[in-house]
Amino acid sequence: MKVLIITYYWPPAGGAGVQRWLKFTKYLRDFDIEPVIFTAENANYPITDPSLEKDIPNDVEVIKCPIFEPNNLLARFKKGKVQKSAGFLDENPSFLSKVVVYIRANYFIPDARMFWIKPSVKKLKKYLSENSIDAIITTGPPHSLHMIGYHLKKQLKINWIADFRDPWTGIDYFHLLPLSKYAKNKHFRLEDKVFKNADKVIMVSKSSKDKYTNQAKSIEVITNGYDTDEIKSNLVLDTKFSISHIGSMNSARNPKLLWKVLSELSEYNNEFANDLQIRLIGKLDEKIIKEELERYNFKDVQQIDYIPHQEAKKYQKQSQVLLLVVNDTPNAKEIVTGKVFEYMQAKRPIIAIGPEDGDLAAILNETNSGNTFDYKNEKDLKEEIENLYKKYKLGNLNTVASNVEKYHRRELTKNLSIIIKELAKN
């Protein structure tokens, strides 16, 4: 059995977007499914991580098609770099920045990879006419890839699975885009076409599934997960009371409550202030540095830019406490950050800032991996940090997670294989 996986993000792409289907591809052969990859030949990735190439199975077929990236042209009209993730929309944009964002939002629909749809459909129609494929899988964002799947489904009647790593119109920043009424309606129309025509839709959280159940033919939930660890288990924990966040942190993901609590604890307890180490790994909004970290004047703040995936996992294992922050946006309850599963694998206590009745909180509770605190729950958050600090001083700050194995990438791929085989059989 063969599946064609249509993905924009593929090694040497780095960051969170590449992980999901790289790991599915790694394990699909264990379940008698041969993956074929279709990806961009000259993609303009915001982050690269060549170390991920080791996870690509030997001799897997990779088909590439050139892509035109208009972001490269738009960058010429700005003094600085074009933001490569809409999750980092500039809160104080210049006039030219506003123009660029307006153009991207209203003329590149679904997104700036729309010019890849037509050549990809043409190339894949030829490939599919010459090769036996049991199903195609599109993964977005970018959601232009779902439109490739839509056209192939319409023209070839092939089995089609649409995987939403992140929502389309439900993404946390959609309501912030300067969309015209026409553009907004077009996004909703195209999204609806995907839900109504895909034979199966896969989403990463239960709340996302519930939201679109009546719109799609069939929806399944397959979360993100963690993979077998290649890091030596004899890493030594940080000597300081380190609280680490691994991943991007923008203004919507700024844990203002946490900074306030840590500042108050530091003022009250000088020993806590000396022991505390805040470590932020990944892209960080400059506003957080200026308005939060510098203002509170914490004694030990480490800022580390993007690092290879395996290096990030080392920091996870060495940290005393791991921090998760769910964007304070309308879809907050649906958000399950991909890093939570590797956090669980690291077996360090997790503090999450987000909805206490959201999907992320449910997973942390189910696995006994950590606790979630609402954006304004200062009292309980302060008590939790004080409790963790006391255990740190006693030398017994640990966590005993359970039911984590079902989030291993191989186990999740097994669930995916069942969906593929059932679809091909029907």
Side-chain angles (χ1 to χ4, degrees):
M1 179 173 289
K2 269 189 177 183
V3 292
L4 176 68
I5 299 166
I6 303 170
T7 176
Y8 174 78
Y9 294 103
W10 190 251
V18 70
Q19 294 285 333
R20 183 170 172 84
W21 283 94
L22 174 62
K23 299 298 185 180
F24 281 142
T25 300
K26 177 180 177 179
Y27 288 111
L28 273 172
R29 286 176 174 172
D30 291 356
F31 304 99
D32 301 318
I33 297 175
E34 180 64 27
V36 178
I37 307 301
F38 179 82
T39 191
E41 184 173 310
N42 53 326
N44 184 21
Y45 298 129
I47 299 171
T48 58
D49 186 352
S51 70
L52 295 176
E53 293 176 355
K54 64 178 176 52
D55 279 335
I56 301 175
N58 292 333
D59 303 321
V60 72
E61 184 177 3
V62 179
I63 309 162
K64 293 189 176 183
C65 180
I67 185 171
F68 166 62
E69 299 265 28
N71 282 342
N72 297 338
L73 294 177
L74 292 176
R76 299 178 185 177
F77 295 94
K78 296 184 68 178
K79 292 181 180 179
K81 294 180 179 179
V82 171
Q83 293 287 6
K84 295 179 180 178
S85 169
F88 277 83
L89 291 172
D90 190 350
E91 293 186 357
N92 298 294
S94 65
F95 174 74
L96 283 176
S97 295
K98 289 180 180 179
V99 171
V100 168
V101 172
Y102 184 86
I103 291 172
R104 288 179 62 189
N106 291 281
Y107 294 95
F108 297 151
I109 301 174
D111 44 62
R113 279 82 188 197
M114 60 179 287
F115 300 103
W116 201 45
I117 298 172
K118 190 172 181 179
S120 295
V121 171
K122 181 179 179 181
K123 184 160 188 168
L124 288 175
K125 279 181 67 177
K126 183 175 187 299
Y127 178 85
L128 292 168
S129 69
E130 298 170 350
N131 296 271
S132 177
I133 295 291
D134 296 285
I136 61 170
I137 301 171
T138 56
T139 178
H143 299 298
S144 287
L145 277 68
H146 293 315
M147 300 317 300
I148 297 172
Y150 169 78
H151 289 295
L152 292 174
K153 175 68 179 177
K154 281 292 186 181
Q155 296 177 38
L156 304 179
K157 309 301 180 185
I158 192 167
N159 293 320
W160 173 32
I161 298 171
D163 172 65
F164 286 82
R165 300 189 321 277
D166 286 311
W168 186 333
T169 60
I171 193 72
D172 49 28
Y173 55 77
F174 186 79
H175 66 293
L176 299 175
L177 295 172
L179 292 166
S180 67
K181 184 177 179 180
Y182 172 81
K184 184 178 290 187
N185 288 337
K186 185 172 182 180
H187 275 288
F188 282 108
R189 286 199 310 273
L190 294 180
E191 179 187 58
D192 190 59
K193 283 185 176 183
V194 175
F195 280 115
K196 282 185 166 54
N197 288 277
D199 297 288
K200 184 76 70 172
V201 170
I202 298 176
M203 308 198 88
V204 299
S205 71
K206 181 181 180 299
S207 292
S208 294
K209 174 185 175 180
D210 294 343
K211 184 176 179 179
Y212 292 99
T213 292
N214 295 329
Q215 196 171 344
K217 285 183 182 178
S218 177
I219 301 181
E220 298 288 346
V221 174
I222 301 181
T223 66
N224 288 305
Y226 67 90
D227 202 3
T228 302
D229 213 334
E230 299 175 5
I231 298 172
K232 295 179 180 178
S233 59
N234 59 351
L235 288 175
V236 178
L237 284 173
D238 294 330
T239 56
K240 302 194 75 172
F241 183 62
S242 54
I243 299 177
S244 300
H245 180 274
I246 290 91
S248 300
M249 184 178 285
N250 59 8
S251 58
R253 200 176 297 163
N254 178 13
K256 294 184 178 182
L257 180 67
L258 177 67
W259 309 138
K260 181 175 183 290
V261 166
L262 292 177
S263 176
E264 290 175 355
L265 289 173
S266 296
E267 289 179 12
Y268 171 76
N269 185 339
N270 191 55
E271 188 175 14
F272 177 89
N274 290 327
D275 286 336
L276 176 65
Q277 180 182 72
I278 299 170
R279 181 185 290 131
L280 305 172
I281 300 174
K283 188 175 180 182
L284 182 65
D285 193 315
E286 291 183 4
K287 190 174 181 180
I288 297 175
I289 300 171
K290 294 177 180 178
E291 296 187 5
E292 307 287 352
L293 302 178
E294 291 181 359
R295 176 163 67 95
Y296 285 121
N297 197 28
F298 296 111
K299 293 185 177 181
D300 190 350
V301 178
Q302 286 189 356
Q303 294 172 234
I304 303 172
D305 205 351
Y306 180 84
I307 55 177
H309 188 235
Q310 289 301 311
E311 290 297 312
K313 292 181 76 172
K314 288 181 182 178
Y315 279 110
Q316 290 172 12
K317 286 179 171 291
Q318 291 175 305
S319 298
Q320 295 288 349
V321 178
L322 294 170
L323 170 65
L324 276 172
V325 187
V326 174
N327 294 25
D328 189 3
T329 50
N331 70 328
K333 290 184 181 180
E334 302 172 40
I335 298 174
V336 179
T337 58
K339 70 174 73 70
V340 64
F341 304 103
E342 290 188 351
Y343 274 19
M344 292 191 297
Q345 184 188 26
K347 298 180 180 178
R348 302 307 305 150
I350 298 171
I351 290 177
I353 310 295
E356 295 173 4
D357 57 349
D359 287 7
L360 176 62
I363 290 173
L364 290 179
N365 290 336
E366 172 203 14
T367 58
N368 194 36
S369 298
N371 293 300
T372 307
F373 302 91
D374 195 77
Y375 305 103
K376 296 181 180 179
N377 189 354
E378 181 177 343
K379 177 179 176 291
D380 290 343
L381 177 60
K382 184 177 289 186
E383 288 180 0
E384 175 75 353
I385 293 174
E386 287 178 321
N387 180 50
L388 293 173
Y389 180 63
K390 286 177 184 177
K391 291 181 178 179
Y392 156 78
K393 295 299 284 186
L394 294 171
N396 61 358
L397 178 53
N398 294 297
T399 186
V400 183
S402 58
N403 302 316
V404 175
E405 295 77 14
K406 67 179 182 179
Y407 296 111
H408 190 285
R409 293 285 189 181
R410 189 181 187 280
E411 192 66 23
L412 296 169
T413 307
K414 179 181 178 181
N415 299 337
L416 173 66
S417 72
I418 293 171
I419 293 172
I420 294 171
K421 289 176 181 178
E422 287 181 351
L423 182 61
K425 181 173 65 177
N426 294 332

